[in-house]
Amino acid sequence: MVYPDTFEGFAVFDPSPETWSSVKKYEFTPKPFEEEDIDIKIETCSICGSDAHSARNGWGKPNAQYPMVVGHEIVGKVVRVGPKVTGFKVGDRVGVGAQSQACLECKICKSNNEIYCPKLVHTFGSIYHNKDGSTTFSHGGYSNYCRIHQYFVFHIPEIFTNEEAAPFLCAGVTTFSPLIRNIPTNLPEGVKPKVGIVGIGGLGMMGIQFSKALGAETYVFSRSSKKKEDAFKLGADHFIATGEQENWIEDISYELDLILCTANSNENFDLNTYLKALKIGGKWVSVGLPESPFTVSPRSFMANACFMGASHLGSHVEMIQMFKLAAEKGIKPWVETIPMSEAGVKEGLEKCHYNKCRYRVALTDADKAFD
Amino acid sequence: MVYPDTFEGFAVFDPSPETWSSVKKYEFTPKPFEEEDIDIKIETCSICGSDAHSARNGWGKPNAQYPMVVGHEIVGKVVRVGPKVTGFKVGDRVGVGAQSQACLECKICKSNNEIYCPKLVHTFGSIYHNKDGSTTFSHGGYSNYCRIHQYFVFHIPEIFTNEEAAPFLCAGVTTFSPLIRNIPTNLPEGVKPKVGIVGIGGLGMMGIQFSKALGAETYVFSRSSKKKEDAFKLGADHFIATGEQENWIEDISYELDLILCTANSNENFDLNTYLKALKIGGKWVSVGLPESPFTVSPRSFMANACFMGASHLGSHVEMIQMFKLAAEKGIKPWVETIPMSEAGVKEGLEKCHYNKCRYRVALTDADKAFD
């Protein structure tokens, strides 16, 4: 069978260490087409750290299901719209991020927090609950098509190429949301907020640019100074190589309103020291999802009444705000491209997982991969 | 020697499990009298959980020094004021809390956050840095006199007896500060903030009353329902016995703006479940100081973008705000009294440590104990 009955993607069949990146073509049945759904012919899908995590079952989900097609930074063209779809028509260039369903009726959804809806469905590796009572396993964007509720589909501003647009859909909004929610807006006139961004990768490069665009004096933290020049090109005002400057915390104690941590691991990560960089009542927000728990001394919090938390993706409203700001300010991710294929996906996933890209890989030409 | 050359107090001599509460009279030399200092003849000192913690060296401070006179909820009369003291005169009834020195010059102090000044000195068990270059070990309020910088001395509203006033000075302001700082003030008109108070003890009884007085719908959490009636008397709108109601979290998921945790221990404490009670972006603030670290799953934070933090005491400005609010609203601690003596201190410390009081013990008649 073919579209619209089945879609085809490059799937991970086995998450074990030897095979996680060896994808193969895989035909799957999408969720039933519902009245608010949009079918998108995929052109480009960039590679998020979560793709590699999920391909490896890095979070150890007991119910993870393979074959799994990953990918949730998707750009393509609308090829079909349901009868209740408004604002999209066939031919529109659109994007899809990491969320593709929520109840849209609970108090959380109604408060523009549908990313935290208990009925959240992720674009891949999750379970759709369909209106007809059936369920469908969700597959991602290393595919020829995707079928998504209109609330989770977004217009792409013209100034962005496909590969520039794609990383906004997860990495972009994942950093934009905690910044827009937590950068203080009640500082005295003339006092700029100060924001720290920990880590320069797919998330960090977006966070640095958004922090600047949102008016914050921006401090970038990295273990070594290898990425120092890149940090300044992205807009950093200050750069701190935590592994090279002994007592680095001394110059920055009690300075920052907010630290956005994009690091994906807690190993050798000195959270208790980072917390000292926060102003009284400042916030540390993790957008990486480490595979191990946080361990924090109560005294670290008591020293400056700081807070620690995390953030997940960004909302529909924030996605639109983000694209508007990015288009206005000329914010763009740095992207390498690889044409989508079995070999291309393998190369891209491994570059991502082993931090070998600067700072995102986009899989292009999806339309050619499945012809 | 006697006052003003030396003071006398009931001191812990040995923090070991058999002897920590067996205090004995002890004569000590106070810090030099400086131009902003006030000498206070102590009448009443109530017993804070920190007194018992410190008497037992519960936090395992390697440099803890004994003999140590504990006590930092002190009420008495001014007997001497330094030449630069303003607003206090001999005979005034005043109080002193857990902080007795800070630099008062750094950016933290200047922002009314002197409780987080790196040069903070606690009223007992800490080291004064004197203007003449010397240092003095600080001793607390189970004593006949104390000598405190005017910034850390507060007038007591007339409506409170000594024993009613004393617990405000630590337990009161320790709960008032995180509430006034963190109860959201930007909710839509007509929407009340919702605050949870975990634990009913010396801190919890104050937190419940302040939460109500600050306009919040107040949820009280306790392991059993033994203190349910007390919680309602103190002003609770809702009571949840977490040890008796299976799945207690279900009714309260995503409901609270703020949880103030007064529990002093992390043992058997299911932080990850409590965090589910928070609204999106809600805050969990610990004012107890457990002896072990917090361990939290990143997913607990991601589920609702919540924050976890802690708070330490309350500032000079907040102390004054708190007494004003308490006097206006008739907020009072529930206090048992025991006359100060070696036996009285022992009884009081043990009642406090083993949670046998409802909900504070005040040591009274200090003036008679040292005649």
Side-chain angles (χ1 to χ4, degrees):
Chain A
M1 292 199 291
V2 291
Y3 176 84
D5 298 310
T6 62
F7 298 174
E8 202 175 10
F10 292 102
V12 178
F13 279 73
D14 180 346
S16 63
E18 301 77 25
T19 56
W20 69 273
S21 60
S22 300
V23 297
K24 288 195 183 60
K25 272 197 185 172
Y26 171 65
E27 193 178 3
F28 60 92
T29 304
K31 70 190 280 291
F33 190 79
E34 294 173 354
E35 52 194 5
E36 293 198 58
D37 279 348
I38 296 176
D39 277 359
I40 300 162
K41 186 166 168 61
I42 296 171
E43 294 172 354
T44 303
C45 185
S46 49
I47 299 179
C48 176
S50 305
D51 296 359
H53 262 290
S54 299
R56 294 169 50 248
N57 199 14
W59 294 303
K61 284 193 190 177
N63 55 351
Q65 186 177 319
Y66 300 86
M68 179 197 289
V69 180
V70 299
H72 58 208
E73 295 182 340
I74 301 168
V75 177
K77 296 267 168 56
V78 173
V79 292
R80 182 185 180 193
V81 297
K84 289 205 173 165
V85 167
T86 57
F88 293 97
K89 59 179 192 307
V90 170
D92 284 355
R93 189 171 67 136
V94 296
V96 174
Q99 179 174 11
S100 52
Q101 203 177 57
C103 80
L104 302 181
E105 288 171 358
C106 68
K107 65 185 175 185
I108 298 168
C109 287
K110 297 280 189 204
S111 65
N112 293 323
N113 285 303
E114 75 284 352
I115 33 175
Y116 301 106
C117 174
K119 296 189 174 163
L120 159 85
V121 176
H122 287 113
T123 302
F124 67 78
S126 198
I127 304 284
Y128 287 115
H129 289 264
N130 306 314
K131 296 233 157 121
D132 65 8
S134 66
T135 60
T136 310
F137 187 70
S138 69
H139 285 294
Y142 300 0
S143 304
N144 53 358
Y145 291 94
C146 65
R147 175 167 295 165
I148 308 285
H149 186 287
Q150 64 175 338
Y151 199 73
F152 302 100
V153 177
F154 301 91
H155 288 288
I156 301 294
E158 272 184 29
I159 73 155
F160 301 119
T161 63
N162 280 2
E163 57 264 30
E164 285 167 351
F168 281 104
L169 291 149
C170 179
V173 83
T174 294
T175 54
F176 180 77
S177 173
L179 290 170
I180 196 89
R181 289 178 187 224
N182 295 301
I183 289 178
T185 54
N186 59 351
L187 297 177
E189 182 140 352
V191 177
K192 266 191 172 186
K194 295 185 180 182
V195 171
I197 307 287
V198 178
I200 307 172
L203 290 162
M205 76 165 158
M206 303 306 290
I208 296 167
Q209 293 184 82
F210 285 128
S211 172
K212 278 301 282 186
L214 292 168
E217 189 167 340
T218 301
Y219 295 71
V220 176
F221 299 86
S222 191
R223 286 184 208 245
S224 79
S225 52
K226 277 190 292 187
K227 297 178 182 171
K228 183 171 182 171
E229 203 180 318
D230 286 351
F232 285 118
K233 276 188 199 156
L234 288 162
D237 298 295
H238 309 271
F239 183 89
I240 297 106
T242 59
E244 296 175 6
Q245 294 166 230
E246 216 178 329
N247 302 327
W248 59 269
I249 191 62
E250 282 175 18
D251 290 338
I252 189 120
S253 295
Y254 303 105
E255 282 291 328
L256 305 181
D257 294 283
L258 175 65
I259 297 175
L260 190 70
C261 179
T262 72
N264 242 322
S265 165
N266 282 332
E267 269 175 63
N268 305 316
F269 189 83
D270 188 0
L271 179 57
N272 290 304
T273 300
Y274 270 110
L275 295 179
K276 292 182 188 170
L278 290 169
K279 277 187 194 165
I280 309 308
K283 290 172 169 177
W284 187 93
V285 181
S286 177
V287 289
L289 183 50
E291 295 172 4
S292 60
F294 299 117
T295 301
V296 198
S297 154
R299 285 187 186 276
S300 291
F301 293 124
M302 291 244 165
N304 56 3
C306 69
F307 288 96
M308 166 182 166
S311 174
H312 181 58
L313 311 179
S315 72
H316 173 94
V317 169
E318 287 162 346
M319 192 80 89
I320 291 166
Q321 274 183 296
M322 172 195 69
F323 271 123
K324 186 164 177 288
L325 181 73
E328 279 168 14
K329 302 264 185 179
I331 292 171
K332 289 185 180 184
W334 295 4
V335 188
E336 304 172 21
T337 58
I338 301 176
M340 200 182 285
S341 69
E342 287 179 5
V345 169
K346 183 180 171 68
E347 182 188 349
L349 279 174
E350 291 179 0
K351 275 195 157 190
C352 172
H353 183 59
Y354 298 110
N355 296 317
K356 303 265 188 214
C357 63
R358 248 168 106 256
Y359 287 101
R360 209 63 161 179
V361 172
L363 299 166
T364 60
D365 303 294
D367 40 334
K368 290 175 196 144
F370 298 97
D371 275 349
Chain B
M1 289 198 292
V2 291
Y3 176 84
D5 298 309
T6 62
F7 298 174
E8 201 175 11
F10 292 103
V12 177
F13 279 72
D14 179 346
S16 63
E18 301 75 29
T19 56
W20 68 273
S21 59
S22 300
V23 297
K24 286 194 184 60
K25 273 197 184 173
Y26 170 66
E27 192 177 3
F28 60 92
T29 304
K31 70 190 280 290
F33 189 80
E34 294 172 353
E35 53 195 4
E36 293 198 59
D37 280 348
I38 296 177
D39 278 359
I40 300 162
K41 186 167 168 61
I42 297 172
E43 295 171 353
T44 304
C45 184
S46 50
I47 299 179
C48 176
S50 307
D51 296 358
H53 262 288
S54 301
R56 293 170 49 248
N57 198 14
W59 293 303
K61 285 193 189 174
N63 55 350
Q65 185 177 319
Y66 299 86
M68 178 197 287
V69 180
V70 300
H72 59 207
E73 295 182 341
I74 301 168
V75 176
K77 296 265 169 57
V78 173
V79 292
R80 181 184 179 193
V81 297
K84 289 203 173 165
V85 167
T86 56
F88 294 95
K89 61 180 191 310
V90 170
D92 284 355
R93 189 172 66 136
V94 296
V96 173
Q99 179 173 13
S100 51
Q101 201 176 59
C103 80
L104 301 180
E105 287 172 358
C106 69
K107 64 185 176 187
I108 298 168
C109 287
K110 296 280 190 205
S111 65
N112 293 324
N113 285 303
E114 75 283 353
I115 34 176
Y116 301 106
C117 173
K119 296 189 175 164
L120 158 85
V121 176
H122 286 113
T123 303
F124 67 78
S126 197
I127 305 284
Y128 287 115
H129 289 265
N130 306 313
K131 297 232 157 119
D132 64 9
S134 66
T135 60
T136 311
F137 188 69
S138 69
H139 285 293
Y142 301 0
S143 305
N144 53 357
Y145 291 94
C146 64
R147 174 168 295 166
I148 308 285
H149 186 287
Q150 62 175 339
Y151 199 73
F152 302 99
V153 177
F154 301 91
H155 288 288
I156 302 294
E158 271 185 32
I159 73 155
F160 300 118
T161 63
N162 279 3
E163 55 264 29
E164 285 167 352
F168 281 103
L169 291 150
C170 178
V173 82
T174 294
T175 53
F176 179 76
S177 173
L179 290 170
I180 196 90
R181 290 179 185 222
N182 294 300
I183 289 178
T185 53
N186 59 352
L187 297 177
E189 182 141 351
V191 176
K192 265 190 174 187
K194 293 184 180 182
V195 171
I197 305 287
V198 178
I200 308 172
L203 290 161
M205 76 164 159
M206 302 307 289
I208 296 167
Q209 294 183 81
F210 285 127
S211 172
K212 279 301 282 185
L214 292 167
E217 191 168 338
T218 302
Y219 295 70
V220 175
F221 299 85
S222 190
R223 286 183 207 243
S224 78
S225 52
K226 276 190 292 186
K227 296 177 182 171
K228 183 171 181 173
E229 203 181 317
D230 287 351
F232 286 118
K233 276 189 200 157
L234 288 162
D237 298 295
H238 310 272
F239 183 89
I240 296 106
T242 59
E244 295 174 7
Q245 294 167 229
E246 219 179 326
N247 302 326
W248 59 269
I249 190 62
E250 283 174 17
D251 290 337
I252 189 117
S253 296
Y254 302 105
E255 282 291 327
L256 305 181
D257 294 283
L258 175 65
I259 297 176
L260 190 70
C261 179
T262 71
N264 242 321
S265 165
N266 282 330
E267 269 176 62
N268 306 315
F269 189 81
D270 189 0
L271 180 56
N272 290 304
T273 300
Y274 270 110
L275 294 179
K276 293 182 187 170
L278 290 169
K279 277 188 194 165
I280 309 306
K283 290 172 169 176
W284 188 92
V285 181
S286 177
V287 290
L289 183 51
E291 294 172 2
S292 60
F294 298 117
T295 301
V296 199
S297 155
R299 286 189 186 276
S300 292
F301 293 124
M302 291 242 165
N304 55 3
C306 69
F307 289 95
M308 166 182 164
S311 174
H312 180 60
L313 311 179
S315 72
H316 172 94
V317 169
E318 287 162 345
M319 192 79 89
I320 291 166
Q321 274 183 296
M322 171 195 68
F323 271 123
K324 185 164 177 288
L325 180 73
E328 278 168 15
K329 302 263 185 179
I331 293 171
K332 288 185 181 183
W334 295 4
V335 189
E336 304 171 22
T337 57
I338 300 177
M340 200 181 287
S341 68
E342 286 178 7
V345 169
K346 182 179 172 67
E347 182 188 347
L349 279 173
E350 292 180 359
K351 274 195 156 191
C352 171
H353 182 59
Y354 299 111
N355 296 316
K356 304 265 188 213
C357 62
R358 248 169 107 255
Y359 288 101
R360 209 62 160 180
V361 172
L363 299 165
T364 60
D365 303 293
D367 41 334
K368 290 175 197 146
F370 298 97
D371 275 348

